[in-house]
Amino acid sequence: MPKVIGLTGGIASGKSTVSELLSVHGFKIVDADIASRKAVEKGSKGLDQVRATFGDEAIGEDGNMNRSYVGDLVFNHPEKRLELNEIVHPIVREIMEKEKEAYLEDGYNVIMDIPLLYENDLQDTVDEVWLVYTSESIQIDRLMQRNDISMEDAKARVYSQISIDKKRRMADHVIDNRDSKIELKQNLEQLLVDEGYIENATDHSQEV
Ligand code: ATP
């Protein structure tokens, strides 16, 4: 029976990096961030609902959602974030369910890449949860580098989520990403061997 695995972690803990590695091993990836964008893409019923709720300013000149306007609005008005979630979440769920079912029908193991899996209480929608782990200070460093933002901004984003140490205690398996990307690959492959998805881990000792 193919499995449905929820992949989560904290912001910038390495989920996308792990997803890419898993797709090389034949897993199919269903990505919550991509589904969230599809839910309000140009011409979608989701975007119509956003316009009806937040007004014409919520739509940019190019017909797409004006992400910075809507982002600022929900950041400053928590009740508006709830309204936005009420529009977007059911559509995202529908998109992700459809993708998942199609992959399962074809016999693939599926990775549901869901950054806010625990925040949105979605752990029971998957067979098991794998968590990509780094320390909070590494999260902050990598986030500052990747997004070119200040330490203050990076901290604010990291601390707005459930702490990664708390998530770690809830997960079925933890993939350690505190060290190099090569070590991450090794840790992941070890898990795939332990869980019977692959026979042997690759020898990465010659890689730099
Ligand atoms: P988000 O939640 O923001 O989508 P994410 O969990 O998908 O992030 P990635 O984008 O995979 O995280 O990784 C965050 C950043 O850290 C990226 O720039 C990535 O290249 C880098 N990174 C990931 N793992 C390592 C590592 N082991 N060593 C150094 N840099 C890393």
Side-chain angles (χ1 to χ4, degrees):
M1 272 291 280
K3 275 239 167 118
V4 179
I5 294 157
L7 183 70
T8 195
I11 186 167
S13 75
K15 296 173 296 295
S16 307
T17 310
V18 168
S19 279
E20 277 170 34
L21 295 172
L22 284 167
S23 67
V24 174
H25 287 288
F27 291 80
K28 292 293 176 185
I29 315 296
V30 176
D31 185 313
D33 287 339
I34 294 176
S36 312
R37 284 195 286 275
K38 274 192 199 156
V40 290
E41 72 190 359
K42 202 169 169 172
S44 63
K45 64 175 184 191
L47 193 59
D48 286 346
Q49 286 174 260
V50 167
R51 185 201 298 268
T53 309
F54 299 108
D56 288 341
E57 297 103 312
I59 315 297
E61 284 183 4
D62 59 1
N64 290 306
M65 188 165 91
N66 183 342
R67 291 189 169 271
S68 65
Y69 176 82
V70 175
D72 282 349
L73 197 67
V74 301
F75 187 76
N76 293 311
H77 302 276
E79 74 287 358
K80 294 205 189 290
R81 179 181 298 280
L82 294 179
E83 279 183 73
L84 182 65
N85 287 347
E86 272 173 30
I87 296 171
V88 175
H89 282 179
I91 304 174
V92 171
R93 270 200 293 277
E94 195 184 312
I95 293 171
M96 293 181 75
E97 275 299 303
K98 272 196 189 146
E99 285 181 23
K100 179 184 84 178
E101 288 304 328
Y103 287 139
L104 288 176
E105 260 174 41
D106 290 343
Y108 289 105
N109 292 307
V110 181
I111 301 293
M112 305 293 278
D113 181 341
I114 313 180
L116 300 179
L117 181 135
Y118 286 116
E119 285 82 353
N120 290 322
D121 220 5
L122 295 172
Q123 53 272 45
D124 294 338
T125 65
V126 294
D127 295 325
E128 53 189 62
V129 177
W130 294 4
L131 179 114
V132 187
Y133 180 76
T134 51
S135 66
E136 261 177 15
S137 65
I138 297 174
Q139 263 184 292
I140 292 165
D141 284 347
R142 290 187 187 152
L143 185 57
M144 283 168 64
Q145 259 192 8
R146 189 192 59 189
N147 293 24
D148 195 19
I149 56 175
S150 68
M151 179 175 275
E152 200 187 352
D153 284 350
K155 280 186 174 169
R157 289 188 201 189
V158 168
Y159 296 147
S160 74
Q161 302 187 333
I162 296 177
S163 89
I164 194 150
D165 286 293
K166 185 165 179 204
K167 289 181 180 178
R168 182 195 172 115
R169 291 194 289 275
M170 297 189 272
D172 297 295
H173 294 288
V174 175
I175 303 157
D176 191 343
N177 187 23
R178 282 175 294 182
D179 299 306
S180 70
K181 284 191 183 177
I182 292 174
E183 279 153 295
L184 169 64
K185 234 180 190 180
Q186 279 167 342
N187 295 336
L188 177 63
E189 287 185 1
Q190 192 56 54
L191 172 62
L192 296 182
V193 171
D194 292 346
E195 292 297 298
Y197 292 102
I198 59 173
E199 298 228 332
N200 297 300
T202 327
D203 180 7
H204 297 289
S205 58
Q206 301 308 312
E207 295 178 31
V208 265

